[in-house]
Amino acid sequence: MSKIAITGVTGQLGEMTARHLLELNVSAGDIIAVVRNLEKAKPLADLGLQIRYGDYEDEASMLAAFENVDKLLFISSPSLDNTHRIAQHARVVEAARDAKVGHIAYTSLAFPEKSALGLENLHLATEYAIRTTGIPYTFLRNGFYMDILVNPSLHGVIKSGEFVSASAGAKVNYVTRNDLALAAAIVLTGSGHECQTYELAHPHPFTYDEFVQILSEVSGKPVKHADLSSEQAYERLVATGIPEAAAAFMTQAIYPAIAAGQFSFASEDLVKLIGNRFTSVKAALEQFLGK
Ligand SMILES: NC(=O)c1ccc[n+]([C@@H]2O[C@H](COP(=O)([O-])OP(=O)(O)OC[C@H]3O[C@@H](n4cnc5c(N)ncnc54)[C@H](OP(=O)(O)O)[C@@H]3O)[C@@H](O)[C@H]2O)c1
């Protein structure tokens, strides 16, 4: 059987992908968990996965970890320093080339050519680095996780009956992390994905007005949408107990991007890969609220 290695597998997307691989009948011993913290890998070892040490800062460790790997799921580094991240990614790519990995699937960013989020250069640089190796690739251009919307702060939103944004009525194309993990597992176990680029975003981007309508329906409590200016939204979010840094991130980085249409692009690629297992906003809310 072919050996599938996953980096970043102690993280949320990586572990979900490993679990989907097991559900798709990949035997645990054929999954190689590449981890920088061996203690954190204990739950993965308990699942029967092969654990190998590999740190994006240490190319020799990645080279050793990739020995006899047929397919690699390279999960992008979470570092916030994009220049440093490019260096980390270059090490991983060089190690994959030198270890003669057969196929690299990389978790990129959806619609990077149209994006001005500040993440596009990192992901395009990594895609081009992978192309230089000549190794067959699959670019899993992941959309933003729906967690940015469906998270514990929703309990306060439901209680207050008001969802605050500064989205100027624009649409968002968020998808669940679990759907992205399933897509990665399907690519790693399927055929015909060599040298393909998938834009893994929502096929029907939705507005926050539509979101609160679904939230009201699922929660059984009426929630209205206050679509404010960035300044007003910041003040309102902080007043409702959102930490200042989180409120600033949302109102100074995320909402201006949403309002500028940066998250409005649609794609059928995710639905084509995972079919009727695609999680709608309603299903994500039902799962989150235990309905
Ligand atoms: N699409 C989106 O909305 C979105 C949002 C946030 C991030 N992302 C990107 O998607 C990736 C996966 O998301 P996630 O939610 O699974 O992130 P996560 O839970 O933070 O997982 C990140 C993984 O990267 C590993 N890692 C960090 N530094 C490393 C290093 N120097 N060497 C080797 N491994 C290292 C972490 O290992 P430890 O467990 O040892 O820390 C962890 O396993 C993120 O890393 C980030 O690039 C996407």
Side-chain angles (χ1 to χ4, degrees):
M1 272 300 282
S2 67
K3 301 278 182 202
I4 300 173
I6 310 179
T7 67
V9 63
T10 47
Q12 298 181 75
L13 182 72
E15 182 175 341
M16 285 176 185
T17 307
R19 289 182 184 277
H20 283 301
L21 287 173
L22 295 172
E23 281 164 19
L24 291 169
N25 294 322
V26 175
S27 70
D30 288 330
I31 305 173
I32 298 165
V34 180
V35 307
R36 65 168 171 170
N37 180 338
L38 292 166
E39 283 205 358
K40 242 181 142 177
K42 177 93 179 45
L44 301 169
D46 291 345
L47 291 173
L49 270 54
Q50 270 192 60
I51 311 295
R52 293 187 188 170
Y53 173 74
D55 188 325
Y56 296 162
E57 302 295 345
D58 172 4
E59 191 172 324
S61 73
M62 301 305 299
L63 181 61
F66 294 158
E67 193 185 337
N68 293 325
V69 164
D70 300 292
K71 294 185 180 181
L72 167 65
L73 175 61
F74 168 20
I75 291 190
S76 52
S77 158
S79 168
L80 298 176
D81 177 341
N82 286 323
T83 313
H84 182 70
R85 241 167 144 191
I86 289 179
Q88 289 183 318
H89 286 189
R91 276 182 216 113
V92 177
V93 174
E94 203 169 0
R97 180 200 63 188
D98 293 349
K100 299 191 169 43
V101 163
H103 183 154
I104 304 173
Y106 168 67
T107 60
S108 187
L109 170 76
F111 303 105
E113 293 91 354
K114 297 182 189 176
S115 175
L117 293 169
L119 297 166
E120 57 281 358
N121 289 326
L122 160 81
H123 289 291
L124 286 169
T126 308
E127 289 186 3
Y128 279 107
I130 292 169
R131 286 174 191 266
T132 66
T133 65
I135 297 172
Y137 61 82
T138 309
F139 297 144
L140 302 164
R141 290 180 163 182
N142 288 348
F144 262 47
Y145 302 148
M146 205 169 315
D147 307 34
I148 200 163
L149 203 49
V150 181
N151 63 50
S153 71
L154 273 190
H155 295 300
V157 167
I158 294 166
K159 203 169 163 201
S160 70
E162 183 180 74
F163 181 90
V164 173
S165 90
S167 56
K171 294 186 175 188
V172 291
N173 57 6
Y174 306 147
V175 288
T176 69
R177 191 192 265 108
N178 189 53
D179 282 3
L180 295 170
L182 176 58
I186 285 172
V187 163
L188 291 165
T189 50
S191 57
H193 302 298
E194 290 79 9
C195 304
Q196 299 296 313
T197 297
Y198 298 124
E199 305 287 358
L200 303 176
H202 203 289
H204 307 293
F206 51 92
T207 62
Y208 282 104
D209 278 351
E210 289 163 331
F211 173 70
V212 294
Q213 211 177 327
I214 302 167
L215 178 60
S216 302
E217 191 189 318
V218 173
S219 67
K221 303 264 172 58
V223 179
K224 64 179 171 48
H225 174 208
D227 200 347
L228 308 174
S229 69
S230 287
E231 294 74 20
Q232 288 169 326
Y234 174 80
E235 280 171 22
R236 192 80 67 90
L237 288 171
V238 171
T240 59
I242 304 288
E244 284 180 11
F249 174 68
M250 288 306 294
T251 56
Q252 288 163 26
I254 298 296
Y255 284 130
I258 293 172
Q262 290 280 312
F263 292 94
S264 65
F265 310 115
S267 170
E268 295 286 335
D269 289 354
L270 181 56
V271 174
K272 279 189 195 150
L273 282 173
I274 69 173
N276 62 11
R277 295 183 69 184
F278 176 77
T279 307
S280 65
V281 175
K282 185 169 182 222
L285 284 169
E286 283 169 347
Q287 279 167 24
F288 178 74
L289 295 171
K291 299 279 180 177

